[in-house]
Every structure is written in C-alpha cells, then in structure tokens.
Amino acid sequence: SGLMERHWRALYKIVAEANTIISRIPESELSDADKKLFEARARFFRAFAYRALAYIWGGVPLETSEVLDVKIDYTRATRKEVYTQCISDLTFAVANLPSITAIPAARDGEISSQVANHLLAEVYIADGQYANAVTAATAVISTPGVALMTARFGSRRTETPGDVYWDLFRKGNQNRKGGTNNTEALWVIQLETD
C-alpha cells in the first residue's frame, strides 16, 4: 500500500537522521551541555519513530547507528526489543531535556522533559510496564505549571457559546505562551495553509 510505504519511509527517515546526529555529536564543536541537549532531542525523535513503527508493524529492523554504506542484511527485532530501545532513548531524553517550566524553558513547539515523560508513559503501557507508566505520567502531571485548564481563557474567553474545551482550540490559545497561559499544552505545533 502506498500509504503504508509513505509511513515506513517517513519514520525510518526520522530514525536515520536521529542516528546521524547521535553518531556525529562526539566530533562536533558543541559545548558539553549542547551535546547532551542535541543527543536528547535526537533520541526522543528516534523513540518517537520507533514507537510508531512498532505500533504499526510489531517487530521491525532496529538500527541505532548511522548507516554509511549500503546495507541489505537487516533482520527484524521483536516488538519488545523495539520498546526496550524506545524506553532507553526516552529515559535519556527525560534526564537531559529542559523542563517545560524551567528558566530558560523549552520554547513553544520544542520538546521538553515533560513531553518525553508523556511518550515514555505511553511506551511503558504498550510494553505492559504499568507501574513505570504511572511514575512517568505522574512526573508530567505533578510538574508545577502543568495542569488541565478548568476556567475559560484566551482572547475569546467571553464569547458565547463556548467553554474551556472550546477555548483550547481557538487560534492563539494552543500555546503555553502568548498571553493565554494554557497550562494544558505540552507540545504544540500549528500547521496552517495560510
């Protein structure tokens, strides 16, 4: 199917680019702090892609190094092995990404340790590690400044009809910043035709 092939290619492109970043970081001129940050970002996205691959296809070829030559001898890892790699990558990301509320905080559209913990909780659930999933989810929920929105907010909060849920999806209200103080938003990226 063309649809499935597009997903396969797009997800493995993320894996390949993350592996390239991770493999080349030691030789870069970045500061030690930036090396950890960029590795954490790359490992988050590699886990993000492998999680989707495992959900769709189960066990898939698991490559964690930059591929520099033609390689055709891939073997399928088990779904469990893929989840184990995702958990390893996300654990590193949680430890090395900035908090959504730190100073300086992750900017709107950037990943944070809370986003990594959220995805980690999801992978733990998929892997049957429910107690670990509760721990990862609790780390997100208990972050000061992160909470479900319970009162009308944003630029259109006085309009009727409307409620808190409606406010979440109004233009300009999705991000944490910009005057709306949307504490429910963890990782928001807007895509608009215009």
Side-chain angles (χ1 to χ4, degrees), residues 1 26 72 92 123 135 140 160-161 194:
S1 162
I72 57 172
F92 184 90
V123 174
T135 301
V140 177
T160 56
D194 298 331

Side-chain angles (χ1 to χ4, degrees), residues 23 38 72 77 88 93 125 143 178 185:
S23 295
F38 280 92
I72 57 172
S88 172
I125 291 169
T143 300

Side-chain angles (χ1 to χ4, degrees), residues 4 7-8 11 51-58 79:
M4 298 313 290
H7 284 302
W8 179 273
L11 292 166
R51 182 242 356 171
L53 286 162
Y55 282 5
I56 299 169
W57 286 282
R79 178 178 276 167

Side-chain angles (χ1 to χ4, degrees), residues 73-170:
D73 60 344
Y74 288 102
T75 59
R76 179 178 231 155
T78 66
R79 178 178 276 167
K80 174 77 171 165
E81 290 169 328
V82 175
Y83 288 155
T84 299
Q85 182 60 50
C86 291
I87 290 166
S88 172
D89 283 344
L90 291 168
T91 301
F92 184 90
V94 166
N96 293 288
L97 287 170
S99 173
I100 203 166
T101 58
I103 298 173
R107 295 179 302 186
D108 284 334
E110 289 183 341
I111 54 174
S112 65
S113 59
Q114 286 72 29
V115 174
N117 251 327
H118 186 279
L119 188 61
L120 181 58
E122 185 183 310
V123 174
Y124 276 140
I125 291 169
D127 196 39
Q129 297 185 41
Y130 304 115
N132 288 335
V134 168
T135 301
T138 300
V140 177
I141 294 166
S142 63
T143 300
V146 172
L148 295 178
M149 297 301 291
T150 58
R152 298 288 310 266
F153 71 99
S155 61
R156 298 173 67 183
R157 68 184 168 276
T158 58
E159 290 182 13
T160 56
D163 56 25
V164 176
Y165 186 75
W166 187 85
D167 288 343
L168 288 170
F169 301 97
R170 298 305 99 208

